[in-house]
Amino acid sequence: DTGVSQDPRHKITKRGQNVTFRCDPISEHNRLYWYRQTLGQGPEFLTYFQNEAQLEKSRLLSDRFSAERPKGSFSTLEIQRTEQGDSAMYLCASRQDLTGRETQYFGPGTRLLVL
Amino acid sequence: GENVEQHPSTLSVQEGDSAVIKCTYSDSASNYFPWYKQELGKRPQLIIDIRSNVGEKKDQRIAVTLNKTAKHFSLHITETQPEDSAVYFCAATSNAGGTSYGKLTFGQGTILTVHP
């Protein structure tokens, strides 16, 4: 399967702990997006990378959140000092950087539960 | 920023009927409108998309229409089947370049149930 992959698929943690998620995009895709989806809602944009550069961050991304894409391939999203309100599905998506190739392909997501 | 409203939130139809889901957007710069289907516990998957330079696009039983003047677009599913049951999301984005990085703004979703 050459689609977008994410790891882990599920994470249960206690409030105050740090967690890190990984996303591996489709190999030729240089655009990578992180979204958060809560139950019954559509995904909400968190941050965007073009190659290794983080070019946009949502207001939703508090200073407890940090994302990296060090070599322009995989990306990590870290949440420090987790809170119960961080419980959600964290989705990664990637796409090509070409006109006419706007489709974003989503990974299976990491479901986070903060106790 | 962009705001996308989606209606209805739930839609129940009999197998073989048609289903229509409507979305409105606020940013006139938006020029790409995808529709995603998400089954329970699964990733969102693109089912159809439309760009602002066309008014309608069809793919077998699925069609999307776009009215740029009114800033609304709709998903039409004909001859519905039980396997069409899922949550459907519309989205909008601008791929105009510059600082338009193509982030998607999603609607709230429509739970479609197709009864056999």
Side-chain angles (χ1 to χ4, degrees):
Chain A
D1 186 355
T2 57
V4 179
S5 60
Q6 292 187 245
D7 184 71
R9 296 290 306 277
H10 304 273
K11 179 71 177 178
I12 300 174
T13 191
K14 293 182 179 178
R15 190 176 52 187
Q17 298 294 304
N18 300 342
V19 295
T20 300
F21 311 142
R22 176 179 170 126
C23 170
D24 286 89
I26 294 171
S27 59
E28 65 267 26
H29 289 184
N30 61 350
R31 293 196 184 199
L32 186 148
Y33 304 82
W34 285 97
Y35 295 87
R36 181 170 69 188
Q37 185 176 28
T38 53
L39 206 59
Q41 300 295 318
E44 294 177 292
F45 169 76
L46 291 179
T47 191
Y48 162 69
F49 288 87
Q50 184 155 335
N51 299 310
E52 66 276 7
Q54 187 176 19
L55 297 184
E56 189 172 3
K57 293 194 290 187
S58 163
R59 289 190 304 267
L60 293 175
L61 216 64
S62 75
D63 56 7
R64 297 184 297 105
F65 288 70
S66 62
E68 294 183 337
R69 195 182 181 196
K71 297 183 180 179
S73 56
F74 73 91
S75 175
T76 58
L77 178 69
E78 181 183 15
I79 309 174
Q80 296 182 326
R81 306 180 304 280
T82 52
E83 301 173 356
Q84 288 183 326
D86 297 331
S87 296
M89 173 77 88
Y90 290 84
L91 292 163
C92 173
S94 71
R95 57 159 279 196
Q96 292 181 308
D97 190 19
L98 293 171
T99 300
R101 294 288 186 268
E102 297 93 341
T103 300
Q104 291 189 24
Y105 295 89
F106 282 83
T110 295
R111 185 170 294 281
L112 173 66
L113 178 60
V114 181
L115 302 175
Chain B
E2 176 67 279
N3 183 53
V4 177
E5 298 286 334
Q6 182 172 347
H7 299 280
S9 56
T10 61
L11 181 58
S12 183
V13 300
Q14 288 297 125
E15 183 176 1
D17 288 350
S18 295
V20 180
I21 302 170
K22 299 183 179 182
C23 290
T24 60
Y25 63 98
S26 61
D27 188 351
S28 58
S30 289
N31 60 1
Y32 174 68
F33 307 90
W35 286 88
Y36 285 86
K37 175 183 180 181
Q38 188 174 30
E39 298 177 7
L40 192 62
K42 300 283 184 67
R43 73 187 76 194
Q45 293 202 303
L46 181 80
I47 55 170
I48 197 167
D49 56 13
I50 191 166
R51 293 172 181 81
S52 59
N53 58 348
V54 299
E56 185 173 359
K57 182 177 179 180
K58 190 173 181 181
D59 183 4
Q60 298 183 355
R61 296 187 298 109
I62 296 172
V64 56
T65 58
L66 171 65
N67 183 327
K68 283 194 299 182
T69 303
K71 297 201 190 83
H72 65 71
F73 56 113
S74 300
L75 177 71
H76 304 253
I77 306 174
T78 58
E79 300 171 26
T80 53
Q81 301 166 2
E83 49 265 40
D84 294 329
S85 297
V87 183
Y88 290 80
F89 292 99
C90 63
T93 188
S94 172
N95 288 294
T99 57
S100 298
Y101 299 126
K103 69 183 179 190
L104 294 173
T105 300
F106 285 84
Q108 298 87 341
T110 296
I111 301 172
L112 174 64
T113 304
V114 180
H115 299 282

